[in-house]
């Protein structure tokens, strides 16, 4: 293909020198448009342009795109950079390249090369035109911006010059005005000072009459303020006869004012705010603070004791006592409200007394508060009958809520803590009351059964069968248990102010309701059933066999299903810890004997061999080897496995970490024979209660089994306790 073929869109650039043309275009774009040229014109150059200029233009493009010599050529670093047939090389020779093509390529390949080269030339030409347009537009935009900046700065310079001129004129006028009015300003200042002094003197000369008028009108606060304003001046100039006379008159009037204030304070007919105002005015008049403090507390004691006497009268035998809610409302609005007012006024008036004054107030509140608490407990003791706790809980809530304010004001008095203790005692008493009610209901059911069994049979009419009697007893007991749970659940309701206390979030639910009420009642049932078997019946007769049969079936049903159901119901209603925030989660199916299962180390001959120094007396075996072999076939437990956000998973993680910690502690100790047996008992007791909280009860069995095995390995004289003995100890404990 000849150079400068007619198919080329830019005849001014040889087709055999595409990169030289691109370099020339880039150089022209960087230099800017020449005068008289248009953006669409293509820069022209002679065919025999100097090689140095071509290399310079080529290098500018490589610098613009950030390419190295090899990257700019689009070829690997292997070929010779001096190759004259390399189109993208710096030493490209078109004649040599064309001779090579004519010698090596057939006609079809030559035509393809021409077509490809024309396409590349067109693409490069289009790219370079776009580059020229962009640079041209940017240059024009920059030129316009600079022109606008020059115009704006010229305007700003003119405005600044005018501003400087105006400021100079203003400064000159201000100086002349100040010089003109200097003498008048001094005279005006002197006259203003004389006027203020005359007003003060006029106030001082009129002070006795003003004080007298205020005392006559009962405006004691205004009189004290007048005295406070003039007292410092009268003290300073008391050596002058005129001021001395004014001071004497004012002292006589203020003495009469103080006497009237004391009389008003001692009468005690006004409320706490009025008496606090009297004390404040007396302190402003300079009366001794210690004496006023004692009198203030004495008057407050009288009012509060009157409230206590009113509450005590409601507990008397003659008038019918109001309900407990009305009683607590009366005490909260009367005594507790008055105590809050006294405490707030005392802290505001006698803050300067320091820790001694605060302790005096705390002792005052502690003494009267204990009397109030005693009255409240007397009234609450009258509410122990009946099974409904709704009114009692509402009363306790208002009682506890009312004492929040004095508890915050008088933290040293411990009123809030004492109120919480009263609520906790009432809750414990109610749990005991419901436990007695469940026991009485169970005994009543047994009495009904005995009467039904002893009733004479009428011909043609059959009495209730044992299955029906058993169903009646079971349903009656379960309904009483649910009613008791619903009644005590009111103490943990979210809207109750004391439900967020630690006792009601922890011990009340776990030890009080679950263990004390439910488990305690189940144990009482077992003891009652055992008593029918051990003791003779009434009038020396034995217990009816039908009743024993019914009790045995009832106990069996409780062991297999009812106890688990009741405990699950209790756990759901009285959520402890994680259950307050997370859902229940999923756990594996539990075996029916989970609560009674003992570890394999207790009964299995394979595990008992672990404690013995050998399988047979003549074949000694290392116990560590036995333990390691056993671990190979046991399931691996991932203690720190990921925890899901539900109750079962969180509790499972906590229990696994706790038991793993117990195992590591055991590994750091050496045990005697009785120490090993104590570990056996402890692990069995843990197993009795922990299995129901984990997702898979086998985790508890394996970890506790490993704890006992580790203790046995660290015991010089490993003699394990019999499994039956371990079970008896845990059941009785």
């Amino acid at each position: 293909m000849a150079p400068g073929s007619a198919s080329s869109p830019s005849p001014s650039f040889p087709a055999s020198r595409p990169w030289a043309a691109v370099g020339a275009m880039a150089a022209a774009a960087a230099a800017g448009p020449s005068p008289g040229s248009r953006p669409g014109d293509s820069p022209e150059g002679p065919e025999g342009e100097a090689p140095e200029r071509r290399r310079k233009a080529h290098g500018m493009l490589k610098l613009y795109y950030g390419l190295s010599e090899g990257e700019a050529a689009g070829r690997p670093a292997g070929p010779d950079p001096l190759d004259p047939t390399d189109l993208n090389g710096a030493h490209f020779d078109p004649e040599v390249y064309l001779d090579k093509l004519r010698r090596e390529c057939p006609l079809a390949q030559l035509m393809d090369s021409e077509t490809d080269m024309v396409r590349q030339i067109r693409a490069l030409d289009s790219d370079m035109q776009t580059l020229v347009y962009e640079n041209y537009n940017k240059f024009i935009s920059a030129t316009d911006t600079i022109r606008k900046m020059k115009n704006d700065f010229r305007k700003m310079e003119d405005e600044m010059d005018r501003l400087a001129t105006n400021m100079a004129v203003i400064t000159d006028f201000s100086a002349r005005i100040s010089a003109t009015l200097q003498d008048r300003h001094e005279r005006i200042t002197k006259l203003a000072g004389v006027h203020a002094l005359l007003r003060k003197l006029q106030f001082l000369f009129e002070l006795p009459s003003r004080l007298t008028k205020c005392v006559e009108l009962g405006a004691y606060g205004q009189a004290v303020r007048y005295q406070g304003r003039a007292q410092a001046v009268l003290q300073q100039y008391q050596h002058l006869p005129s001021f001395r006379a004014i001071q004497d008159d004012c002292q006589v009037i203020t003495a009469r004012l103080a006497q009237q204030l004391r009389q008003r304070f001692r009468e005690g007919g006004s409320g706490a705010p009025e008496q606090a105002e009297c004390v404040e005015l007396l302190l402003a008049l300079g009366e001794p603070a210690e004496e006023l403090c004692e009198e203030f507390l004495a008057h407050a004691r009288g009012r509060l004791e009157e409230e206590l006497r009113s509450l005590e009268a409601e507990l008397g035998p003659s008038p019918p006592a109001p309900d407990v809610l009305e009683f607590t409302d009366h005490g909260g609005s009367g005594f507790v409200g008055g105590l809050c007012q006294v405490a707030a006024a005392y802290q505001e008036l006698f803050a300067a007394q320091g820790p001694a004054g605060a302790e005096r107030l705390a002792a005052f509140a502690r003494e009267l508060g204990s009397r109030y608490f005693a009255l409240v407990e007397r009234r609450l003791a009258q509410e122990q009958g009946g099974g409904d706790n709704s009114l009692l809980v509402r009363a306790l809530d208002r009682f506890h809520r009312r004492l929040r304010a004095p508890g915050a004001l008088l933290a040293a008095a411990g009123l809030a803590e004492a109120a919480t203790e009263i609520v906790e005692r009432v809750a414990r008493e109610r749990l005991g009351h419901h436990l007695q009610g469940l026991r009485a209901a169970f005994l009543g059911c047994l009495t009904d059964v005995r009467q039904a069994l002893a009733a004479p049979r009428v011909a043609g009419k059959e009495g209730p069968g044992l299955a029906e009697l058993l169903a009646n007893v079971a349903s009656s007991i379960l309904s009483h248990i649910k009613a008791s749970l619903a009644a005590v659940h009111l103490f943990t309701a979210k809207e109750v102010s004391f439900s967020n206390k630690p006792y009601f979030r922890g011990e009340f639910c776990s030890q009080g309701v679950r263990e004390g009420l439910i488990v305690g009642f189940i144990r009482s049932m077992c003891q009652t059933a055992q008593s029918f078997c051990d003791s003779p019946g009434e009038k020396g007769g034995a217990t009816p066999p039908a009743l024993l049969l019914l009790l045995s079936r009832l106990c069996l049903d409780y062991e297999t299903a009812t106890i688990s159901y009741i405990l699950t119901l209790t756990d759901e209603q009285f959520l402890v810890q994680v259950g307050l925030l997370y859902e229940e989660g999923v756990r594996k199916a539990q075996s029916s004997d989970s609560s009674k299962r003992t570890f394999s180390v207790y009964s299995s001959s394979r595990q008992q061999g672990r404690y013995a120094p050998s399988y047979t007396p003549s074949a000694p075996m290392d116990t560590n080897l036995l333990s390691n072999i056993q671990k190979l076939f046991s399931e691996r437990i991932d203690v720190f496995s990921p925890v899901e956000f539900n109750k079962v998973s969180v509790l499972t993680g906590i229990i696994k970490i706790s038991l793993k910690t117990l195992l590591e502690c055991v590994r750091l100790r050496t045990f005697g024979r009785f120490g090993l047996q104590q570990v056996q008992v402890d692990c069995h007791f843990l197993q009795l209660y922990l299995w129901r909280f984990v997702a898979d009860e086998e985790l508890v069995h394996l970890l506790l089994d490993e704890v006992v095995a580790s203790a046995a390995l660290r015991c010089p004289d490993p003699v394990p306790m019999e499994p039956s003995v371990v079970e008896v100890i845990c059941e009785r404990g």
Side-chain angles (χ1 to χ4, degrees), residues 294-320:
E294 295 294 339
E295 291 186 8
F296 178 80
L297 291 180
H299 287 287
R301 181 186 296 274
R303 294 195 308 273
L304 295 176
E305 286 181 346
E306 183 178 354
E307 293 289 343
L308 293 176
R309 286 191 294 270
S310 176
L311 291 174
E312 190 173 8
E314 294 181 0
L315 299 176
S318 53

PDB file of all heavy atoms in Angstrom, residues 294-320:
ATOM      1  N   GLU A 294     -33.492  23.777 114.669  1.00  0.00           N
ATOM      2  CA  GLU A 294     -34.172  22.943 115.657  1.00  0.00           C
ATOM      3  C   GLU A 294     -35.664  23.232 115.701  1.00  0.00           C
ATOM      4  O   GLU A 294     -36.492  22.310 115.757  1.00  0.00           O
ATOM      5  CB  GLU A 294     -33.543  23.161 117.033  1.00  0.00           C
ATOM      6  CG  GLU A 294     -32.091  22.704 117.138  1.00  0.00           C
ATOM      7  CD  GLU A 294     -31.963  21.197 117.003  1.00  0.00           C
ATOM      8  OE1 GLU A 294     -32.967  20.491 117.230  1.00  0.00           O
ATOM      9  OE2 GLU A 294     -30.859  20.724 116.660  1.00  0.00           O
ATOM     10  N   GLU A 295     -36.019  24.511 115.671  1.00  0.00           N
ATOM     11  CA  GLU A 295     -37.435  24.867 115.704  1.00  0.00           C
ATOM     12  C   GLU A 295     -38.159  24.385 114.442  1.00  0.00           C
ATOM     13  O   GLU A 295     -39.307  23.923 114.504  1.00  0.00           O
ATOM     14  CB  GLU A 295     -37.586  26.377 115.848  1.00  0.00           C
ATOM     15  CG  GLU A 295     -37.142  26.918 117.201  1.00  0.00           C
ATOM     16  CD  GLU A 295     -37.447  28.389 117.343  1.00  0.00           C
ATOM     17  OE1 GLU A 295     -38.145  28.929 116.446  1.00  0.00           O
ATOM     18  OE2 GLU A 295     -37.009  29.006 118.326  1.00  0.00           O
ATOM     19  N   PHE A 296     -37.481  24.490 113.295  1.00  0.00           N
ATOM     20  CA  PHE A 296     -38.105  24.047 112.043  1.00  0.00           C
ATOM     21  C   PHE A 296     -38.414  22.551 112.094  1.00  0.00           C
ATOM     22  O   PHE A 296     -39.513  22.108 111.734  1.00  0.00           O
ATOM     23  CB  PHE A 296     -37.174  24.375 110.873  1.00  0.00           C
ATOM     24  CG  PHE A 296     -37.694  23.925 109.545  1.00  0.00           C
ATOM     25  CD1 PHE A 296     -38.654  24.661 108.863  1.00  0.00           C
ATOM     26  CD2 PHE A 296     -37.231  22.749 108.952  1.00  0.00           C
ATOM     27  CE1 PHE A 296     -39.133  24.245 107.638  1.00  0.00           C
ATOM     28  CE2 PHE A 296     -37.707  22.326 107.739  1.00  0.00           C
ATOM     29  CZ  PHE A 296     -38.669  23.085 107.069  1.00  0.00           C
ATOM     30  N   LEU A 297     -37.449  21.743 112.534  1.00  0.00           N
ATOM     31  CA  LEU A 297     -37.679  20.304 112.618  1.00  0.00           C
ATOM     32  C   LEU A 297     -38.720  19.959 113.673  1.00  0.00           C
ATOM     33  O   LEU A 297     -39.496  19.004 113.512  1.00  0.00           O
ATOM     34  CB  LEU A 297     -36.364  19.582 112.911  1.00  0.00           C
ATOM     35  CG  LEU A 297     -35.319  19.596 111.784  1.00  0.00           C
ATOM     36  CD1 LEU A 297     -34.073  18.845 112.212  1.00  0.00           C
ATOM     37  CD2 LEU A 297     -35.887  18.986 110.508  1.00  0.00           C
ATOM     38  N   ALA A 298     -38.753  20.730 114.765  1.00  0.00           N
ATOM     39  CA  ALA A 298     -39.748  20.460 115.806  1.00  0.00           C
ATOM     40  C   ALA A 298     -41.163  20.703 115.291  1.00  0.00           C
ATOM     41  O   ALA A 298     -42.078  19.891 115.525  1.00  0.00           O
ATOM     42  CB  ALA A 298     -39.460  21.334 117.025  1.00  0.00           C
ATOM     43  N   HIS A 299     -41.361  21.805 114.577  1.00  0.00           N
ATOM     44  CA  HIS A 299     -42.688  22.077 114.024  1.00  0.00           C
ATOM     45  C   HIS A 299     -43.051  21.061 112.952  1.00  0.00           C
ATOM     46  O   HIS A 299     -44.210  20.621 112.867  1.00  0.00           O
ATOM     47  CB  HIS A 299     -42.735  23.499 113.453  1.00  0.00           C
ATOM     48  CG  HIS A 299     -42.765  24.566 114.497  1.00  0.00           C
ATOM     49  ND1 HIS A 299     -43.877  24.840 115.272  1.00  0.00           N
ATOM     50  CD2 HIS A 299     -41.810  25.437 114.919  1.00  0.00           C
ATOM     51  CE1 HIS A 299     -43.623  25.826 116.124  1.00  0.00           C
ATOM     52  NE2 HIS A 299     -42.361  26.215 115.925  1.00  0.00           N
ATOM     53  N   ALA A 300     -42.060  20.666 112.117  1.00  0.00           N
ATOM     54  CA  ALA A 300     -42.338  19.654 111.098  1.00  0.00           C
ATOM     55  C   ALA A 300     -42.695  18.316 111.740  1.00  0.00           C
ATOM     56  O   ALA A 300     -43.579  17.595 111.263  1.00  0.00           O
ATOM     57  CB  ALA A 300     -41.121  19.497 110.182  1.00  0.00           C
ATOM     58  N   ARG A 301     -42.041  17.974 112.857  1.00  0.00           N
ATOM     59  CA  ARG A 301     -42.358  16.742 113.556  1.00  0.00           C
ATOM     60  C   ARG A 301     -43.806  16.735 114.035  1.00  0.00           C
ATOM     61  O   ARG A 301     -44.508  15.721 113.945  1.00  0.00           O
ATOM     62  CB  ARG A 301     -41.398  16.559 114.729  1.00  0.00           C
ATOM     63  CG  ARG A 301     -41.627  15.275 115.526  1.00  0.00           C
ATOM     64  CD  ARG A 301     -40.736  15.260 116.754  1.00  0.00           C
ATOM     65  NE  ARG A 301     -39.338  15.235 116.364  1.00  0.00           N
ATOM     66  CZ  ARG A 301     -38.658  14.131 116.090  1.00  0.00           C
ATOM     67  NH1 ARG A 301     -39.271  12.953 116.160  1.00  0.00           N
ATOM     68  NH2 ARG A 301     -37.390  14.189 115.752  1.00  0.00           N
ATOM     69  N   GLY A 302     -44.259  17.875 114.542  1.00  0.00           N
ATOM     70  CA  GLY A 302     -45.633  17.938 115.013  1.00  0.00           C
ATOM     71  C   GLY A 302     -46.638  17.672 113.906  1.00  0.00           C
ATOM     72  O   GLY A 302     -47.602  16.911 114.090  1.00  0.00           O
ATOM     73  N   ARG A 303     -46.421  18.271 112.746  1.00  0.00           N
ATOM     74  CA  ARG A 303     -47.349  18.051 111.635  1.00  0.00           C
ATOM     75  C   ARG A 303     -47.315  16.599 111.155  1.00  0.00           C
ATOM     76  O   ARG A 303     -48.354  15.995 110.892  1.00  0.00           O
ATOM     77  CB  ARG A 303     -47.008  18.987 110.471  1.00  0.00           C
ATOM     78  CG  ARG A 303     -47.219  20.452 110.779  1.00  0.00           C
ATOM     79  CD  ARG A 303     -47.224  21.274 109.505  1.00  0.00           C
ATOM     80  NE  ARG A 303     -46.055  21.005 108.679  1.00  0.00           N
ATOM     81  CZ  ARG A 303     -44.886  21.624 108.796  1.00  0.00           C
ATOM     82  NH1 ARG A 303     -44.734  22.554 109.744  1.00  0.00           N
ATOM     83  NH2 ARG A 303     -43.873  21.337 108.003  1.00  0.00           N
ATOM     84  N   LEU A 304     -46.119  16.028 111.025  1.00  0.00           N
ATOM     85  CA  LEU A 304     -46.013  14.665 110.533  1.00  0.00           C
ATOM     86  C   LEU A 304     -46.544  13.651 111.543  1.00  0.00           C
ATOM     87  O   LEU A 304     -47.149  12.631 111.163  1.00  0.00           O
ATOM     88  CB  LEU A 304     -44.557  14.350 110.182  1.00  0.00           C
ATOM     89  CG  LEU A 304     -43.972  15.162 109.019  1.00  0.00           C
ATOM     90  CD1 LEU A 304     -42.507  14.834 108.823  1.00  0.00           C
ATOM     91  CD2 LEU A 304     -44.746  14.901 107.733  1.00  0.00           C
ATOM     92  N   GLU A 305     -46.341  13.904 112.832  1.00  0.00           N
ATOM     93  CA  GLU A 305     -46.896  13.000 113.836  1.00  0.00           C
ATOM     94  C   GLU A 305     -48.413  13.039 113.836  1.00  0.00           C
ATOM     95  O   GLU A 305     -49.069  12.025 114.117  1.00  0.00           O
ATOM     96  CB  GLU A 305     -46.349  13.372 115.212  1.00  0.00           C
ATOM     97  CG  GLU A 305     -44.893  12.955 115.420  1.00  0.00           C
ATOM     98  CD  GLU A 305     -44.406  13.316 116.802  1.00  0.00           C
ATOM     99  OE1 GLU A 305     -45.090  14.112 117.482  1.00  0.00           O
ATOM    100  OE2 GLU A 305     -43.343  12.798 117.215  1.00  0.00           O
ATOM    101  N   GLU A 306     -48.968  14.184 113.499  1.00  0.00           N
ATOM    102  CA  GLU A 306     -50.425  14.252 113.381  1.00  0.00           C
ATOM    103  C   GLU A 306     -50.915  13.368 112.233  1.00  0.00           C
ATOM    104  O   GLU A 306     -51.949  12.690 112.352  1.00  0.00           O
ATOM    105  CB  GLU A 306     -50.841  15.705 113.148  1.00  0.00           C
ATOM    106  CG  GLU A 306     -52.349  15.902 113.089  1.00  0.00           C
ATOM    107  CD  GLU A 306     -52.721  17.357 112.915  1.00  0.00           C
ATOM    108  OE1 GLU A 306     -51.812  18.221 112.950  1.00  0.00           O
ATOM    109  OE2 GLU A 306     -53.916  17.636 112.731  1.00  0.00           O
ATOM    110  N   GLU A 307     -50.171  13.337 111.132  1.00  0.00           N
ATOM    111  CA  GLU A 307     -50.526  12.442 110.025  1.00  0.00           C
ATOM    112  C   GLU A 307     -50.414  10.977 110.456  1.00  0.00           C
ATOM    113  O   GLU A 307     -51.252  10.145 110.094  1.00  0.00           O
ATOM    114  CB  GLU A 307     -49.604  12.706 108.829  1.00  0.00           C
ATOM    115  CG  GLU A 307     -49.787  14.063 108.170  1.00  0.00           C
ATOM    116  CD  GLU A 307     -51.099  14.159 107.418  1.00  0.00           C
ATOM    117  OE1 GLU A 307     -51.707  13.107 107.138  1.00  0.00           O
ATOM    118  OE2 GLU A 307     -51.522  15.287 107.112  1.00  0.00           O
ATOM    119  N   LEU A 308     -49.384  10.665 111.242  1.00  0.00           N
ATOM    120  CA  LEU A 308     -49.222   9.290 111.708  1.00  0.00           C
ATOM    121  C   LEU A 308     -50.352   8.888 112.648  1.00  0.00           C
ATOM    122  O   LEU A 308     -50.844   7.754 112.602  1.00  0.00           O
ATOM    123  CB  LEU A 308     -47.868   9.130 112.400  1.00  0.00           C
ATOM    124  CG  LEU A 308     -46.627   9.256 111.500  1.00  0.00           C
ATOM    125  CD1 LEU A 308     -45.361   9.171 112.345  1.00  0.00           C
ATOM    126  CD2 LEU A 308     -46.628   8.176 110.431  1.00  0.00           C
ATOM    127  N   ARG A 309     -50.768   9.812 113.506  1.00  0.00           N
ATOM    128  CA  ARG A 309     -51.888   9.497 114.401  1.00  0.00           C
ATOM    129  C   ARG A 309     -53.168   9.266 113.616  1.00  0.00           C
ATOM    130  O   ARG A 309     -53.989   8.413 113.967  1.00  0.00           O
ATOM    131  CB  ARG A 309     -52.071  10.628 115.415  1.00  0.00           C
ATOM    132  CG  ARG A 309     -51.003  10.657 116.493  1.00  0.00           C
ATOM    133  CD  ARG A 309     -51.390  11.611 117.616  1.00  0.00           C
ATOM    134  NE  ARG A 309     -51.417  13.004 117.157  1.00  0.00           N
ATOM    135  CZ  ARG A 309     -50.372  13.826 117.197  1.00  0.00           C
ATOM    136  NH1 ARG A 309     -49.208  13.385 117.677  1.00  0.00           N
ATOM    137  NH2 ARG A 309     -50.472  15.060 116.774  1.00  0.00           N
ATOM    138  N   SER A 310     -53.330  10.022 112.534  1.00  0.00           N
ATOM    139  CA  SER A 310     -54.513   9.814 111.689  1.00  0.00           C
ATOM    140  C   SER A 310     -54.484   8.432 111.046  1.00  0.00           C
ATOM    141  O   SER A 310     -55.514   7.733 110.979  1.00  0.00           O
ATOM    142  CB  SER A 310     -54.578  10.903 110.620  1.00  0.00           C
ATOM    143  OG  SER A 310     -55.654  10.672 109.733  1.00  0.00           O
ATOM    144  N   LEU A 311     -53.326   7.997 110.581  1.00  0.00           N
ATOM    145  CA  LEU A 311     -53.212   6.659 110.001  1.00  0.00           C
ATOM    146  C   LEU A 311     -53.429   5.576 111.048  1.00  0.00           C
ATOM    147  O   LEU A 311     -54.072   4.547 110.779  1.00  0.00           O
ATOM    148  CB  LEU A 311     -51.835   6.491 109.352  1.00  0.00           C
ATOM    149  CG  LEU A 311     -51.553   7.308 108.086  1.00  0.00           C
ATOM    150  CD1 LEU A 311     -50.100   7.132 107.660  1.00  0.00           C
ATOM    151  CD2 LEU A 311     -52.480   6.881 106.954  1.00  0.00           C
ATOM    152  N   GLU A 312     -52.907   5.805 112.246  1.00  0.00           N
ATOM    153  CA  GLU A 312     -53.081   4.817 113.306  1.00  0.00           C
ATOM    154  C   GLU A 312     -54.532   4.697 113.725  1.00  0.00           C
ATOM    155  O   GLU A 312     -55.001   3.608 114.085  1.00  0.00           O
ATOM    156  CB  GLU A 312     -52.198   5.195 114.487  1.00  0.00           C
ATOM    157  CG  GLU A 312     -52.108   4.114 115.553  1.00  0.00           C
ATOM    158  CD  GLU A 312     -51.100   4.454 116.617  1.00  0.00           C
ATOM    159  OE1 GLU A 312     -50.587   5.594 116.615  1.00  0.00           O
ATOM    160  OE2 GLU A 312     -50.818   3.589 117.458  1.00  0.00           O
ATOM    161  N   ALA A 313     -55.253   5.807 113.658  1.00  0.00           N
ATOM    162  CA  ALA A 313     -56.674   5.760 114.012  1.00  0.00           C
ATOM    163  C   ALA A 313     -57.460   4.904 113.025  1.00  0.00           C
ATOM    164  O   ALA A 313     -58.455   4.266 113.386  1.00  0.00           O
ATOM    165  CB  ALA A 313     -57.242   7.184 114.056  1.00  0.00           C
ATOM    166  N   GLU A 314     -57.012   4.882 111.764  1.00  0.00           N
ATOM    167  CA  GLU A 314     -57.704   4.053 110.783  1.00  0.00           C
ATOM    168  C   GLU A 314     -57.515   2.562 111.045  1.00  0.00           C
ATOM    169  O   GLU A 314     -58.297   1.744 110.567  1.00  0.00           O
ATOM    170  CB  GLU A 314     -57.199   4.386 109.377  1.00  0.00           C
ATOM    171  CG  GLU A 314     -57.544   5.801 108.922  1.00  0.00           C
ATOM    172  CD  GLU A 314     -57.041   6.077 107.520  1.00  0.00           C
ATOM    173  OE1 GLU A 314     -56.437   5.151 106.933  1.00  0.00           O
ATOM    174  OE2 GLU A 314     -57.249   7.192 107.020  1.00  0.00           O
ATOM    175  N   LEU A 315     -56.457   2.212 111.804  1.00  0.00           N
ATOM    176  CA  LEU A 315     -56.214   0.816 112.139  1.00  0.00           C
ATOM    177  C   LEU A 315     -56.891   0.399 113.429  1.00  0.00           C
ATOM    178  O   LEU A 315     -56.767  -0.758 113.838  1.00  0.00           O
ATOM    179  CB  LEU A 315     -54.702   0.558 112.258  1.00  0.00           C
ATOM    180  CG  LEU A 315     -53.875   0.807 110.998  1.00  0.00           C
ATOM    181  CD1 LEU A 315     -52.402   0.616 111.303  1.00  0.00           C
ATOM    182  CD2 LEU A 315     -54.312  -0.112 109.878  1.00  0.00           C
ATOM    183  N   GLY A 316     -57.569   1.325 114.087  1.00  0.00           N
ATOM    184  CA  GLY A 316     -58.207   1.020 115.362  1.00  0.00           C
ATOM    185  C   GLY A 316     -59.330   0.019 115.208  1.00  0.00           C
ATOM    186  O   GLY A 316     -59.852  -0.215 114.116  1.00  0.00           O
ATOM    187  N   PRO A 317     -59.775  -0.558 116.324  1.00  0.00           N
ATOM    188  CA  PRO A 317     -60.813  -1.598 116.251  1.00  0.00           C
ATOM    189  C   PRO A 317     -62.207  -1.052 116.010  1.00  0.00           C
ATOM    190  O   PRO A 317     -63.044  -1.738 115.433  1.00  0.00           O
ATOM    191  CB  PRO A 317     -60.722  -2.266 117.625  1.00  0.00           C
ATOM    192  CG  PRO A 317     -60.174  -1.191 118.525  1.00  0.00           C
ATOM    193  CD  PRO A 317     -59.267  -0.341 117.691  1.00  0.00           C
ATOM    194  N   SER A 318     -62.482   0.214 116.438  1.00  0.00           N
ATOM    195  CA  SER A 318     -63.858   0.695 116.359  1.00  0.00           C
ATOM    196  C   SER A 318     -64.300   1.042 114.946  1.00  0.00           C
ATOM    197  O   SER A 318     -65.292   0.486 114.463  1.00  0.00           O
ATOM    198  CB  SER A 318     -64.044   1.896 117.299  1.00  0.00           C
ATOM    199  OG  SER A 318     -63.059   2.880 117.035  1.00  0.00           O
ATOM    200  N   PRO A 319     -63.605   1.942 114.221  1.00  0.00           N
ATOM    201  CA  PRO A 319     -64.106   2.231 112.878  1.00  0.00           C
ATOM    202  C   PRO A 319     -63.649   1.152 111.899  1.00  0.00           C
ATOM    203  O   PRO A 319     -62.581   0.565 112.078  1.00  0.00           O
ATOM    204  CB  PRO A 319     -63.457   3.579 112.542  1.00  0.00           C
ATOM    205  CG  PRO A 319     -62.193   3.587 113.326  1.00  0.00           C
ATOM    206  CD  PRO A 319     -62.442   2.759 114.550  1.00  0.00           C
ATOM    207  N   PRO A 320     -64.420   0.860 110.889  1.00  0.00           N
ATOM    208  CA  PRO A 320     -63.971  -0.131 109.903  1.00  0.00           C
ATOM    209  C   PRO A 320     -62.761   0.395 109.138  1.00  0.00           C
ATOM    210  O   PRO A 320     -62.756   1.522 108.657  1.00  0.00           O
ATOM    211  CB  PRO A 320     -65.192  -0.311 108.988  1.00  0.00           C
ATOM    212  CG  PRO A 320     -65.985   0.951 109.158  1.00  0.00           C
ATOM    213  CD  PRO A 320     -65.749   1.411 110.566  1.00  0.00           C
TER     214      PRO A 320
END
